[in-house]
Amino acid sequence: MQPQDSKVVIVGAGHGGGLAAAYLRQYDHTGLIVLIGEEPIAPYQRPPLSKAWLKGEADAESLKLKPDSWYAENNVDLRLSTVVSEINRGARTVILSSGEVIGYDHLIIATGARARALPIPGADLNGVLELRTAADAERLKAAIGPGKKLAVIGGGYVGLESAASGRALGAHVMVIERESRLLARVACEVLSSFFQSYHEKQGVAFELGASVEALEGKDGHITGVRLADGRLIECDAALVGVGAVPNEELARDAGLECTNGVVVDLDARTSDPHVFAIGDVTHRPLPLYERNFRLESVPNALDQAKHAASAIMGRAQPAPEAPWFWSDQYDLKLQIAGIPFDADAILVRGDVASAKFAVFHLKGDLVQAVEAVNAPPEFMMGRRLLEHRTPVSREKLADTTISMKEVAV
Amino acid sequence: MAKITYIEHDGTQHVIDVKTGLSVMEGAVKNNIPGIDADCGGACACATCHVYVDAAWKDKTGTPSSMEESMLDFAENVEPTSRLSCQIKVSDELEGLVVRMPESQH
Ligand SMILES: Cc1cc2nc3c(=O)[nH]c(=O)nc-3n(C[C@H](O)[C@H](O)[C@H](O)COP(=O)(O)OP(=O)(O)OC[C@H]3O[C@@H](n4cnc5c(N)ncnc54)[C@H](O)[C@@H]3O)c2cc1C
Ligand code: FES
């Protein structure tokens, strides 16, 4: 059988799954693709759910990766509201919860991640929300009109973006974070304190270093968040944004190697040569940093969708890319490239107070990561310097009168 | 609605009717036209939706924002006619627009 005739089954019709189908077709794969997803809608983009869509600046149609008609036109058998309950690697089949069995030549696992639940009393009250899917976003939007009180539990990106959108819609927002600073897992202290003061200026209140003991309610609906020190933060709704866990159970039950995600190589191949995994569910190699890691970002899902599609088609892999990410809050555009592994110094370029700056994480004269706020040159050039492992001069980098084009040594 | 011609780097042409209100980027991505990656989905954060707009269309496609300009300034293969296609909104005015794609978006 030629690679282009192989039958590909994709489990999970999210960002990665949808893109894998699209890249296979772009790379001239002509065999049947079966794309199976639990959600009732065709693959869509999640980033706007906490940003433009939540603020009412983007409609549901614009979120979709492809128009609904694309799938049939391209011989992609899209099965929505359908759950895969088992993978049988010996027989090369997947089994649906309905009992139906579907065979594959190549399987792509793109099951993503789910919002981490808070194991505390009251977590099942009405008005306790999470934000992972379009359906979650509808519930959140309905809960944050003018004057409504929203408690955001967890000061990560999803929490802060929702706080910003909540303010834009006129809601009162309180962010409750267990750590002593925001974005503790994902950004440096300069950024944490910058984002905190920016949000405070926009009217968001914070409780840092605060642990949540229970969610309290009346008639089955949340009325407040009880902190460990006994205080009650009153609210009409609470958004729980305390991270995500990979949906790796299917893979693990099928005997595929998993460690905080399905372990894959640079072709996005799992320990079974017929099975690939992509996106938030994977634990992948990061050659730039000589280690493995689980990423949660659109660029990563895209990168791995290309890897899996290329490997299936026997195509050369695209050049490796540095991981990157973006976040929009108010008029701030945050762009991050790389991960600050092994960095020995932090260098701030630009003026934090004027909300236009970048934080470089350096290892000797190499850029390990850059976090840029309203600073596209620093992001664009920083990403290139880090991908090409180009040494930079710290003096030049710290001097904003020297263009980012001139900072290499 | 506007008829837009997308020309891949190897010369392959795609003529597509794109709905008013969508961006030039969305017109390409939703029709699976290779050569526009649009990693960030239109957030003006990635510069992988880079196109060259034929000179005749410079005025009708509008002026780039300062964010777009500084992204472009640091993108690869940039020319004076470069734009980020996610920042060009389609209207009837753009009937007949021709955009060309760079060799690579990365
Ligand atoms: C609110 C929000 C904002 C975000 N903002 C950004 C951002 O600004 N920038 C950025 O880069 N990233 C952002 N992300 C992250 C980004 O959306 C994810 O990294 C991306 O969606 C990962 O794609 P995926 O295909 O791995 O998983 P998903 O898109 O989550 O898709 C997985 C799909 O698999 C389905 N599934 C799971 N198990 C099964 C099963 N057994 N059978 C059938 N179907 C199954 C799920 O229902 C889901 O639809 C954001 C995420 C959220 C939630
Ligand atoms: S799609 Fe990312 S900048 Fe246009």
Side-chain angles (χ1 to χ4, degrees), chain A residues 307-343:
Chain A
H307 291 170
S310 300
I312 288 172
M313 290 300 291
R315 264 171 79 106
Q317 289 292 358
E321 276 184 44
W324 75 276
F325 187 80
W326 79 93
S327 174
D328 295 315
Q329 297 164 40
Y330 311 107
D331 53 352
L332 302 174
K333 182 170 295 295
L334 169 68
Q335 294 163 293
I336 298 181
I339 305 173
F341 289 129
D342 311 323

Side-chain angles (χ1 to χ4, degrees), chain B residues 31-49:
Chain B
N31 291 289
N32 224 27
I33 293 171
I36 293 184
D37 290 346
D39 292 6
C40 77
C44 198
C46 70
T48 65
C49 62

Side-chain angles (χ1 to χ4, degrees), chain A residues 49-50 54-55 129 137-152 161-173 236-239:
Chain A
L49 296 180
S50 50
L54 196 54
K55 285 188 282 177
L129 309 170
E138 294 278 1
R139 281 186 286 269
L140 177 60
K141 196 175 198 169
I144 52 174
K148 286 278 174 64
K149 290 200 223 49
L150 174 70
V152 175
E161 288 172 359
S162 303
S165 302
R167 289 300 298 144
L169 295 173
H172 300 289
V173 184
D236 303 303
L239 172 66

